[in-house]
Amino acid sequence: MSNAQELSTLLVSLQNTLKLQSALIAKFEQREMRMQAAFDQRMQALQREVAQAHRRVDGIVGEAGAQIAKEAKDAVAPVAAQYDREVSTTSAQLKKANKTVWMWFGAAGAILLLVLLVGWAVLGYYRRELVIVKDELSRYENAIPVLQAYYASDVAICGGRVCVNVDPGGQRAGNERQYRQARPRP
């Protein structure tokens, strides 16, 4: 029986080992569950801390953004004020220059008007002169036949009068036939 006793001892030992292993497995499972619960708690705590860190970072960034905007405004304000003053100065100078330009245009317009008036007066003067010269030319044109007749006749000025060398056999003219045609020039 030694075999049966050994077998029974072995079975008892195996049962004890199995019980021990079961207890160990149960202990390992409990430990694993505790570790899992602790891990989950730590993960949740870590997630809360990360969320808080995000909120803090967002707060810091928001405050930093506001601070940067304020500092940028403070830094740009003097430059903007200087720019505004320079624009105002330039605008005033342009207005002054604009007045000067309008004065020049006014002066140029006045000079142009004066030149036109003087030109109109000169043109009127020359028109009157042309009328006078035209009348004089008309008189000269009317005198041409008289001068042509004078040069075509044998006449001379004698003591302020025209002396005619009368052809004794020539025709006589006039109401009483007292005038004689002048002899043609040789």
Side-chain angles (χ1 to χ4, degrees):
M1 280 245 215
S2 129
N3 255 349
Q5 273 183 346
E6 276 181 27
L7 192 57
S8 136
T9 314
L10 191 60
L11 275 174
V12 169
S13 180
L14 191 57
Q15 279 179 344
N16 285 338
T17 304
L18 281 174
K19 284 181 189 177
L20 198 69
Q21 281 182 345
S22 279
L24 276 176
I25 288 175
K27 227 180 191 183
F28 279 140
E29 284 178 352
Q30 285 176 353
R31 184 181 258 175
E32 182 182 345
M33 286 175 71
R34 280 190 308 235
M35 285 176 64
Q36 184 66 36
F39 179 76
D40 288 341
Q41 284 177 344
R42 287 192 179 161
M43 280 302 288
Q44 287 176 354
L46 183 62
Q47 286 176 346
R48 284 192 300 269
E49 288 181 21
V50 166
Q52 285 178 350
H54 278 299
R55 284 192 296 273
R56 280 190 227 139
V57 167
D58 288 341
I60 291 170
V61 168
E63 290 174 10
Q67 183 66 25
I68 289 171
K70 182 183 177 289
E71 289 177 5
K73 183 180 176 184
D74 292 344
V76 171
V79 174
Q82 178 65 27
Y83 177 76
D84 188 41
R85 284 191 299 273
E86 288 178 5
V87 165
S88 297
T89 303
T90 304
S91 177
Q93 288 174 348
L94 285 176
K95 284 180 183 178
K96 194 178 201 181
N98 193 16
K99 287 179 184 177
T100 304
V101 167
W102 279 112
M103 285 176 39
W104 278 103
F105 276 134
I111 289 172
L112 179 64
L113 184 61
L114 183 63
V115 166
L116 287 175
L117 286 174
V118 168
W120 184 70
V122 169
L123 181 65
Y125 171 76
Y126 280 113
R127 288 177 94 189
R128 286 189 299 277
E129 287 294 315
L130 282 174
V131 167
I132 291 170
V133 169
K134 191 176 182 182
D135 289 343
E136 194 174 331
L137 179 64
S138 176
R139 284 195 313 269
Y140 287 150
E141 285 177 349
N142 292 337
I144 287 176
V146 174
L147 290 174
Q148 286 175 340
Y150 176 80
Y151 282 118
S153 302
D154 187 12
V155 288
I157 304 287
C158 303
R161 294 185 176 199
V162 176
C163 298
V164 177
N165 188 2
V166 178
D167 183 8
Q171 288 183 345
R172 296 183 181 245
N175 287 343
E176 298 178 12
R177 305 265 181 222
Q178 73 270 27
Y179 298 107
R180 295 187 185 168
Q181 272 187 341
R183 185 181 305 161
R185 288 189 181 178

